[in-house]
Amino acid sequence: MKITDITTTPVAFRDPPLLNSVGVHEPWALRTIVEVHTDEGITGLGESYGDIGHLTRMRTAAPALLGLDVHALNEMHSRIATALGGEAGSDRHGLTGPLTVESTVDRVFSPFEVACWDIRGKALGRPVSDLLGGAVRTAVPYSAYLFYKWAAHPGAEPDEFGEALDPAGIVEQARMLVERHGFGSIKLKGGVYPPDQEIEAIHALREAFPDHPLRLDPNAAWTPETSLKVAEELDGIVEYLEDPAPDIDGMAEVAARAPMPLATNMCVIAFEHIARSVEVDAVQVILSDHHYWGGLSRSKELAAICRTFGIGLSMHSNSHLGISLAAMTHLAAATPNLNYACDTHYPWNVADDVITTPFTFVDGAIPVPTTPGLGVELDRDALARLAENYRTCGLVQRDDTGYMQKHDPSYERKRPRW
Ligand code: GKR
Ligand code: MG
């Protein structure tokens, strides 16, 4: 079955003012919806980042894939590498590490690869999780992903999620997300306030949710020394501490004395980082993410490496729509050693999705789709609406720091901050 055409549609959807260590989310989150069409009339779907640099690279690569068999994924990867000509992307928003040539290829490859799995599943009449080795769970648990947040974007009406700027606000937000979606574990995005305040928020969560596993992720906002103080305070309270300090060596320094495992989606984000990380035992949990680990089959390779070295596996997320959630769910369902509840930003988007039946959490989990392929269908009207948002929203790349500076000109991006 051959690829005859590829469409890449950038879209934008409403995003609340969520705070993190580099600033605050802008009113719109950007994604790209990829459709891969074939000579047998089957179309596959993929979803990826919407930043202009990445969109341009996907559009540079797409023509090189025309005529390719949908099973020729190795050839697809190498054609993309050639089409990109050795260019490395950049981490402008500052929440993942620096990209290399190889990891840039993996990012561009991912949505096309996912679309091919969707096509193969549809052709065979089997869900993607079957093709990935078979689901070992019927539903994939996700965690409640809490953020400090403003009540509203400056100048706009308050959103339905409310303000969360202190421990009480964070507990209230957790109650809302747990009540709505039934989440059984909780992650707090930190790196926003001095560590003592975030420790206090975790203690408040522990009191309000005595049985929920908890995690804290300051996105490398702390020095190793500060990280160790926090680790000591949160001993026995968090299941893992995510990216407390920058870089593999900084994480290794913390890991050597921290009582809990350290997790990352910042310092081990490509295959070439793993050897060094294992050598110095920098991280005990890797947050996989098929969007940058090179799609579903490479994510399974990552899982095998983690199993080999006794490294735990969890899953990372950025703001995303339902095609991504479908792919994440199939992958997690078919990855036996993914033993932590996955991250997802999905509950923060209440306005719109590009699929006909947006996902609903059942007891904090997404039931694994059992229909052929990814099990989601594109809603053409919604796609057109979100594409129009993209055209009119005025954003072409994520810039949490720039947006924060518009409202607080004295704000500086600093890593580590404390
Ligand atoms: O959406 O603000 C955010 C997050 O901070 C995101 O960009 C991170 O990549 O969720 C991510 C993380 O776990 O570090
Ligand atoms: Mg993280």
Side-chain angles (χ1 to χ4, degrees), residues 214-408:
L214 303 175
R215 311 160 188 175
L216 174 60
D217 174 15
N219 282 115
W222 307 331
T223 61
E225 201 190 351
T226 305
S227 304
L228 279 165
K229 281 190 201 134
V230 177
E232 214 173 284
E233 293 275 346
L234 296 182
D235 186 8
I237 299 180
V238 290
E239 61 176 338
Y240 57 68
L241 199 51
E242 191 173 318
D243 286 307
D247 309 322
I248 288 181
D249 290 339
M251 288 286 277
E253 198 181 325
V254 182
R257 285 190 286 143
M260 70 282 284
L262 302 190
T264 189
N265 61 270
M266 294 182 76
C267 68
V268 182
I269 55 163
F271 288 96
E272 57 215 280
H273 302 143
I274 295 175
R276 172 75 186 149
S277 174
V278 167
E279 193 186 327
V280 296
D281 195 18
V283 301
Q284 294 69 49
V285 178
I286 293 180
L287 283 93
S288 69
D289 182 332
H290 73 270
H291 303 92
Y292 63 74
W293 280 96
L296 305 183
S297 34
R298 281 168 188 255
S299 297
K300 295 270 300 186
E301 289 174 16
L302 171 66
I305 295 171
C306 288
R307 196 174 63 238
T308 307
F309 289 104
I311 299 169
L313 195 61
S314 189
M315 196 182 273
H316 166 260
S317 144
N318 279 125
S319 305
H320 64 89
L321 295 165
I323 298 170
S324 280
L325 189 60
M328 290 156 73
T329 300
H330 283 283
L331 174 63
T335 306
N337 56 324
L338 206 159
N339 290 326
Y340 294 96
C342 302
D343 288 353
T344 178
H345 285 57
Y346 200 66
W348 291 109
N349 171 21
V350 283
D352 239 340
D353 200 341
V354 292
I355 54 175
T356 49
T357 313
F359 284 99
T360 306
F361 294 91
V362 180
D363 296 331
I366 295 291
V368 184
T370 51
T371 49
L374 290 174
V376 293
E377 246 180 81
L378 205 49
D379 175 337
R380 295 251 155 233
D381 293 339
L383 181 69
R385 228 174 16 249
L386 270 67
E388 182 59 16
N389 290 342
Y390 176 84
R391 280 189 290 273
T392 54
C393 75
L395 303 181
V396 291
Q397 63 204 1
R398 178 175 172 180
D399 183 10
D400 298 14
T401 308
Y403 185 52
M404 177 62 104
Q405 284 167 341
K406 271 193 202 149
H407 307 289
D408 174 5

Side-chain angles (χ1 to χ4, degrees), residues 20 28 31 110 119 168 178 215-216 229 244 258 295 322 350-351 366 373:
N20 58 33
W28 298 96
R31 299 294 276 176
S110 176
I119 292 166
V178 168
R215 311 160 188 175
L216 174 60
K229 281 190 201 134
V350 283
I366 295 291

